[in-house]
Amino acid sequence: PRGWYWSQLWPSAVALARWLATEEGQEAVRGKEVLDLGCGVGTAGLAAALYGQPAAVTLVDSEPRALAFARFSAEANRLGGVVAADVVDWGRPPEGAERGRYGVVLASDVLYDAEAVAPVAAYAGAALAPGGIIVVADQRDRPYDAPARLRALADGVGEAARGACRVEVLAGEEEAVEWDGRTHRVAVSLVKLVDGGSDAA
């Protein structure tokens, strides 16, 4: 059932966690404020905390049960001093101190629902600091145009940044993830807010 999507470990979260364990991934989050948007059970955000030495990691999801599970995992891995969790509504972008706070936003499996792309982009773009990056992991073996949705996400991020930065999309290589008896193709891509200019790349 759709209401239990949060309770499963999805291939995109596995691929993103693997990327965060690489030298590139560790360097991306080191010393940064990290937001795991739509965290589910918290796989990506917890991987960032375990491997990357971030300043802090905030796990957010609309499902309180997912966050309860993620908090338990953080405490079990002795990450409670680094990891926080909060219930959010993607349809309401962050304001005040939360706006422009994060150097890195992690997003796995946020493109499968076409209607979710715009609100996710608005939330991520408002949360991201100038010069920050969004790391997007998405399955490429689903019945939709994933590159087009990634581009739509990037365009929405640029609009949310109010033209203060231009947006670059660095498409990542596809990775094979074994899950549920099948091999899935997952791409980890970077959406970067680059200081100066308002034209999307």
Side-chain angles (χ1 to χ4, degrees), residues 39-176:
C39 67
V41 295
T43 305
L46 295 176
L50 280 169
Y51 299 120
Q53 298 180 325
V57 175
T58 302
L59 311 175
V60 297
D61 201 282
S62 61
E63 175 52 66
R65 293 169 295 179
L67 293 172
F69 191 98
R71 288 189 190 99
F72 178 84
S73 296
E75 293 297 335
N77 286 280
R78 300 181 179 178
L79 297 171
V82 178
V83 176
D86 194 17
V87 176
V88 301
D89 176 0
W90 289 2
R92 301 179 63 182
E95 299 178 349
E98 292 296 301
R99 188 174 183 88
R101 169 183 171 183
Y102 297 95
V104 179
V105 174
L106 307 176
S108 60
D109 270 327
V110 298
L111 302 180
Y112 66 88
D113 184 348
E115 294 182 358
V117 174
V120 167
Y123 194 101
L128 202 62
I133 62 170
I134 303 172
V135 189
V136 182
D138 189 62
Q139 287 181 226
R140 292 301 170 89
D141 50 7
R142 284 178 168 161
Y144 57 78
D145 187 344
R149 290 197 184 176
L150 179 64
R151 182 68 256 178
L153 178 77
D155 290 343
V157 167
E159 292 176 8
R162 298 179 181 176
C165 306
R166 60 189 172 86
V167 179
E168 292 182 355
V169 179
L170 306 178
E173 296 181 2
E174 293 183 6
E175 179 179 348

